[in-house]
């Protein structure tokens, strides 16, 4: 048992060193081509932003293990904390990786990231938005500070007041928007409005595809103004992601800060992340066909 964890610890150290040291990994069978490409895109992105990854630390938490005959699989989470220097300023980016190591007769033979499945529910967009709301709900102001505060408090935890989904990204963003004062309308019709009540919710609350269409189509309650670029967004605004570029929106993030170039840094769940550069070029879900939508959250 101890020997397995020593092998795993050594691999984690090598993997972490890839970010900031001149570590050879071309012949390492445990570093997949996808991971190498993610690393290369991340380093290229940092360079294009006049940034440098100056330090990377990692902690690991074992979630469980299963043994079948001579094979043992250990599931664990890596918590990466990376210090990024951009000109004269620094910020800390944090990301969690859910991984699985495989041992055969106590020898480490494989280690892979368990990729996040960003597709949440197969729900078609509904453009017949709820228009019947109380007059009091028509006049609300969005408290961006509170939305960001919530995103910082819960990015790597789960508020027990809400149900936790296996693909939790949009549920998390909805909670942030609610903390910022966005009014819920449309209950009890799950296909209309944006709401969460009594352990029930609208599709737009929890489904990335539905959230994207709600933000651009709603006429009351929570709604967004589509912007032409990410740099036009402010903390508290929302970015939607279609990783494959096929019209199916799979992921949602919230802007929590801007970098030295005025570009958003975002928090998100599913793959829990904090102060992550908004383009997601370091994600295994990224493709050259990726599309984004940028929404400025508007009150009344």
């Amino acid at each position: 048992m101890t020997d397995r964890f020593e092998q795993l610890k050594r691999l984690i150290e090598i993997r972490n060193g890839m970010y900031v040291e001149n570590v050879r990994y071309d012949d390492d069978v445990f570093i997949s081509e996808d991971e190498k490409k993610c690393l290369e895109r991340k380093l290229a992105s940092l360079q294009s932003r006049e940034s440098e990854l100056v330090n990377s630390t990692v902690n690991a938490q074992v979630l469980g293990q299963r043994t079948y005959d001579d094979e043992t699989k250990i599931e664990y989470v890596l918590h990466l904390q990376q210090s990024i220097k951009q000109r004269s300023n620094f910020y800390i980016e944090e990301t969690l990786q859910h991984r699985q190591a495989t041992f055969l007769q106590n020898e480490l033979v494989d280690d892979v990231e368990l990729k996040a499945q960003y597709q949440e529910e197969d729900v078609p967009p509904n453009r017949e938005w709820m228009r019947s709301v109380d007059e009091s709900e028509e006049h609300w102001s969005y408290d961006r500070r509170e939305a960001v505060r919530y995103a910082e408090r819960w990015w790597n935890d789960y508020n027990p007041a809400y149900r936790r989904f296996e693909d939790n990204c949009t549920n998390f963003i909805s909670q942030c928007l609610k903390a910022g004062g966005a009014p819920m309308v449309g209950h009890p019709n799950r296909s209309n409005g944006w709401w969460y009540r009594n352990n029930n919710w609208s599709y737009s609350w929890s489904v990335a595809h539905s959230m994207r269409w709600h933000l651009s189509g709603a006429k009351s309650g929570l709604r967004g103004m589509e912007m032409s670029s990410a740099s036009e967004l402010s903390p508290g605004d929302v970015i939607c992601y279609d990783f494959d570029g096929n019209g199916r929106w799979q992921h949602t993030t919230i802007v929590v800060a801007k970098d030295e170039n005025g570009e958003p840094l975002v928090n998100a769940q599913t793959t829990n992340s904090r102060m992550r550069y908004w383009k997601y070029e370091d994600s295994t879900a990224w493709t050259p066909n990726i599309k984004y939508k940028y929404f400025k959250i508007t009150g009344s």
Side-chain angles (χ1 to χ4, degrees):
M1 183 71 68
T2 302
D3 184 52
R4 290 179 195 152
F5 286 118
E6 286 299 322
Q7 292 179 66
L8 188 55
K9 179 181 177 182
R10 176 57 182 154
L11 178 60
I12 290 170
E13 291 172 349
I14 293 173
R15 189 183 302 280
N16 188 53
M18 289 164 46
Y19 289 97
V20 291
E21 301 171 10
N22 186 21
V23 175
R24 285 183 54 83
Y25 58 86
D26 293 332
D27 299 326
D28 193 326
V29 296
F30 305 126
I31 311 299
S32 71
E33 287 301 318
D34 279 351
E35 289 184 274
K36 294 175 187 177
K37 291 176 181 177
C38 286
L39 174 63
E40 290 165 0
R41 289 197 301 266
K42 183 181 184 75
L43 296 179
S45 173
L46 287 168
Q47 185 176 19
S48 70
R49 296 164 54 211
E50 301 178 81
S51 305
E52 179 186 4
L53 201 165
V54 296
N55 186 44
S56 181
T57 60
V58 64
N59 292 304
Q61 178 184 1
V62 173
L63 300 179
Q65 60 180 315
R66 304 184 304 275
T67 299
Y68 305 96
D69 297 327
D70 293 333
E71 184 180 82
T72 298
K73 293 184 179 293
I74 297 178
E75 286 193 23
Y76 66 102
V77 171
L78 287 185
H79 182 176
L80 287 162
Q81 295 179 294
Q82 298 180 327
S83 178
I84 294 174
K85 180 182 179 182
Q86 191 175 42
R87 294 194 280 278
S88 60
N89 289 330
F90 291 82
Y91 68 90
I92 302 295
E93 176 183 313
E94 300 183 68
T95 308
L96 270 68
Q97 291 183 9
H98 187 187
R99 307 192 66 88
Q100 179 176 269
T102 301
F103 295 82
L104 189 62
Q105 294 182 344
N106 291 325
E107 181 180 351
L108 181 61
V109 295
D110 196 19
D111 180 81
V112 296
E113 182 178 2
L114 300 178
K115 294 184 180 180
Q117 299 298 314
Y118 286 104
Q119 187 64 55
E120 295 173 333
E121 292 183 44
D122 189 17
V123 179
N126 186 345
R127 297 179 178 85
E128 297 299 322
W129 306 112
M130 203 71 180
R131 288 168 171 76
S132 176
V133 296
D134 292 339
E135 184 68 21
S136 61
E137 292 177 325
E138 278 296 325
H139 302 284
W140 62 281
S141 60
Y142 184 44
D143 191 333
R144 296 174 176 277
R145 181 176 298 179
E146 284 303 312
V148 170
R149 185 177 296 170
Y150 189 99
E152 289 284 85
R153 165 63 180 85
W154 293 103
W155 74 272
N156 192 28
D157 201 356
Y158 303 93
N159 188 337
Y162 298 93
R163 175 172 172 174
R164 175 183 174 183
F165 296 85
E166 182 176 353
D167 306 309
N168 208 58
C169 65
T170 305
N171 178 39
F172 169 65
I173 300 306
S174 287
Q175 292 173 37
C176 297
L177 297 172
K178 179 65 172 61
M184 298 187 290
V185 297
H187 178 268
N189 189 336
R190 297 193 71 197
S191 298
N192 272 336
W194 173 81
W195 55 270
Y196 185 104
R197 187 181 299 179
N198 299 328
N199 203 32
N200 200 7
W201 54 89
S202 65
Y203 293 124
S204 60
W205 180 279
S206 63
V207 182
H209 190 65
S210 297
M211 167 68 85
R212 175 261 179 271
W213 286 107
H214 179 87
L215 287 174
S216 64
K219 302 301 181 184
S220 60
L222 170 68
R223 52 195 179 273
M225 179 185 299
E226 188 173 337
M227 311 304 287
S228 60
S229 68
S231 61
E232 296 176 86
L233 300 180
S234 302
D237 290 330
V238 169
I239 302 177
C240 300
Y241 299 74
D242 171 5
F243 288 113
D244 302 307
N246 60 4
R248 188 69 204 178
W249 298 87
Q250 302 150 296
H251 189 47
T252 319
T253 68
I254 185 168
V255 179
V256 294
K258 304 289 284 288
D259 71 7
E260 289 292 285
N261 298 323
E263 295 290 324
L265 303 173
V266 300
N267 285 17
Q269 288 194 352
T270 299
T271 295
N272 294 11
S273 306
R274 175 180 179 270
M275 299 285 280
R276 187 173 187 170
Y277 185 57
W278 68 271
K279 284 190 175 181
Y280 265 63
E281 293 161 315
D282 58 341
S283 169
T284 53
W286 184 92
T287 75
N289 299 319
I290 193 169
K291 293 180 181 178
Y292 310 93
K293 287 290 183 182
Y294 318 107
F295 288 106
K296 182 169 288 296
I297 303 303
T298 57
S300 300

